[in-house]
Amino acid sequence: METKKKDIRALTKEQLREFFVQQGDKAFRGNQVYEWLWSKSAHHFDDMTNISKQTRDMLDANFVINHIEVDAMQKSSDGTIKNAVRLHDGLIVESVLIPAKNRTTACVSSQVGCSLDCKFCATARLKRMRNLNPDEIYDQVVAIDQESRLYHDRPLSNIVFMGMGEPLMNYNNVLKAIDKITSPEGLGMSPKRIVVSTSGVPKMIKKMADEEVKFKLAVSLHSAIDEVRTSIMPFNATFPLSDLRESLQYWYAKTKNRITYEYVVWKGINDKRKDVDALVEFCKFAPSKVNLIEYNPIDDGEFQQANNEALDMYVNVLEKNNITVTVRRSRGKDIDAACGQLANKS
Ligand code: SAH
């Protein structure tokens, strides 16, 4: 049922303290409830055991806790877990737990669907329905942390914003969520273990740089030649490489944080020497490294992973130019949990 009650987690700690003072209670009660809502991740007011029944009922009459529900959980043969997450209004997003030898990474969504139109990405086929709220992003991380403890005997160690959506098109909420994730009153995680991945929205990259954020930046580059990039990522026509380049130089000047370029090599699209040469030039603009990621087919065969010779050429040329390059294998492909495969299929 649609409810008119306000989502209590939209309030800041200060607003919650004020609310209690207005109710004739102590401001400190706001701190207690805030702790339940965030670091203890309570789903119901009745979970708040050090709060009187009367106060819990009063909260229930005024607010809701719009908590996410993990609707379905799928486990891959390689240990990857994909959560279908139901939001309070019934919409679904996906998040993924990726286990590795010494770490567990959460891949979280920032929007329902996506506002961009990358031709190779399954999420792009869902139109953008809405932005996620900070608490909906935070809750995905909490759910993965719990699964990591349960199935892999260790807490979550890293977070990547590489699920559904373009994080910089939901900038304020993503930054608020990261504040909560890194705050001691939330999960207390280090921002250095968080990567925000963007297709490259120059204005927002500059804004982030101005705010001197401490998390890492990854850019889905895929081509350093405008015509090629526009043909596979049409929004590049609006935000061309020259603007992206300028914003990345600004980012590095302000944050001193090197940039990761994510890059898929496709047969017949960007597998030629001129493509590598353009990438090498682009990498010289600001300290950076390249992750060559495996293509995860999404259907009709329009895009195909380039052959090994092309990949070897990329690695050789980049290394000769002293650019760090890593070849990344995808995880969770058997459950459609790999990069670009998140499309609420099951
Ligand atoms: N919108 C953000 C984050 C989501 S995509 C961004 O563009 O960075 C996360 C990464 O997966 C991006 O690098 C994206 O280009 C890549 N990706 C998308 N579809 C893919 C596919 N089918 N196979 C491999 N990688 C893909």
Side-chain angles (χ1 to χ4, degrees):
M1 212 179 73
E2 203 51 42
T3 170
K4 295 250 171 350
K5 292 190 237 174
K6 198 174 162 117
D7 180 4
I8 190 165
R9 287 189 299 171
L11 301 186
T12 61
K13 189 172 176 182
E14 213 30 63
Q15 287 169 329
L16 204 53
R17 285 164 56 87
E18 272 166 33
F19 171 80
F20 278 101
V21 172
Q22 279 163 16
Q23 297 288 318
D25 202 337
K26 297 193 181 68
F28 172 70
R29 199 77 59 223
N31 299 19
Q32 288 177 310
V33 170
Y34 192 85
E35 191 180 350
W36 277 109
L37 292 173
W38 294 103
S39 60
K40 294 184 182 161
S41 227
H43 289 217
H44 309 283
F45 293 113
D46 276 342
D47 296 341
M48 303 179 177
T49 45
N50 61 350
I51 307 291
S52 74
K53 174 87 176 105
Q54 197 189 355
T55 304
R56 282 184 270 146
D57 288 346
M58 180 276 290
L59 288 172
D60 198 37
N62 285 282
F63 298 105
V64 286
I65 305 177
N66 279 339
H67 217 283
I68 64 160
E69 298 291 339
V70 176
D71 236 17
M73 195 188 90
Q74 282 175 278
K75 277 201 197 155
S76 158
S77 51
D78 65 18
T80 303
I81 296 174
K82 180 168 83 171
N83 291 335
V85 167
R86 187 157 40 82
L87 309 173
H88 68 92
D89 53 4
L91 292 171
I92 308 273
V93 292
E94 293 175 334
S95 26
V96 184
L97 176 159
I98 308 155
K101 209 162 161 222
N102 302 315
R103 56 159 88 176
T104 305
T105 302
C107 173
V108 298
S109 294
S110 56
Q111 297 181 312
V112 187
C114 189
S115 7
L116 302 181
D117 46 10
C118 305
K119 299 286 186 216
F120 47 81
C121 179
T123 308
R125 312 219 161 151
L126 309 169
K127 69 173 197 305
R128 190 197 74 96
M129 312 280 283
R130 70 170 172 87
N131 285 336
L132 294 189
N133 296 324
D135 48 86
E136 292 170 327
I137 297 169
Y138 181 87
D139 287 352
Q140 292 176 65
V141 174
V142 171
I144 302 247
D145 181 43
Q146 287 166 352
E147 288 169 353
S148 181
R149 289 167 198 268
L150 187 62
Y151 299 108
H152 296 279
D153 282 327
R154 61 184 180 214
L156 176 68
S157 56
N158 296 70
I159 303 172
V160 294
F161 281 80
M162 295 189 190
M164 294 174 155
E166 169 47 53
L168 298 194
M169 297 279 194
N170 184 18
Y171 182 86
N172 287 337
N173 290 350
V174 166
L175 260 73
K176 278 186 193 159
I178 293 177
D179 267 354
K180 285 280 183 327
I181 293 165
T182 52
S183 139
E185 288 176 329
L187 296 176
M189 283 181 72
S190 163
K192 295 198 179 81
R193 291 174 172 274
I194 301 176
V195 179
V196 169
S197 173
T198 176
S199 288
V201 188
K203 203 172 90 186
M204 303 320 279
I205 292 174
K206 283 187 173 173
K207 189 166 162 142
M208 264 188 327
D210 281 335
E211 293 182 19
E212 291 178 19
V213 298
K214 298 281 180 286
F215 50 79
K216 294 185 179 160
L217 178 65
V219 175
S220 303
L221 192 60
H222 303 308
S223 174
I225 301 174
D226 267 316
E227 304 81 78
V228 178
R229 194 166 193 260
T230 301
S231 73
I232 54 176
M233 303 169 82
F235 75 91
N236 185 71
T238 321
F239 307 120
L241 288 164
S242 52
D243 292 0
L244 180 59
R245 160 192 172 170
E246 195 213 327
S247 70
L248 294 172
Q249 287 172 322
Y250 190 82
W251 160 271
Y252 186 79
K254 285 264 174 178
T255 67
K256 294 283 173 289
N257 244 330
R258 81 170 169 171
I259 302 143
T260 301
Y261 296 124
E262 294 156 272
Y263 201 103
V264 177
V265 188
W266 288 284
K267 201 176 275 180
I269 292 177
N270 57 356
D271 57 352
K272 301 286 180 305
R273 178 65 197 237
K274 68 171 175 25
D275 299 294
V276 195
D277 291 342
L279 175 59
V280 167
E281 286 312 302
F282 199 87
C283 286
K284 288 181 184 162
F285 297 144
S288 49
K289 62 172 180 160
V290 174
N291 277 350
L292 291 179
I293 53 184
E294 194 183 347
Y295 177 56
N296 304 303
I298 56 170
D299 56 12
D300 41 25
E302 187 192 339
F303 287 89
Q304 282 169 34
Q305 167 84 38
N307 56 29
N308 284 336
E309 289 80 74
L311 275 181
D312 290 346
M313 172 183 66
Y314 263 90
V315 172
N316 289 337
V317 176
L318 288 166
E319 283 180 346
K320 272 205 189 92
N321 284 279
N322 299 318
I323 297 160
T324 309
V325 52
T326 323
V327 181
R328 296 225 177 254
R329 293 201 67 74
S330 272
R331 310 285 306 273
K333 271 209 268 194
D334 54 339
I335 54 168
D336 280 333
C339 282
Q341 289 189 317
L342 302 184
N344 294 342
K345 269 211 261 183
S346 54

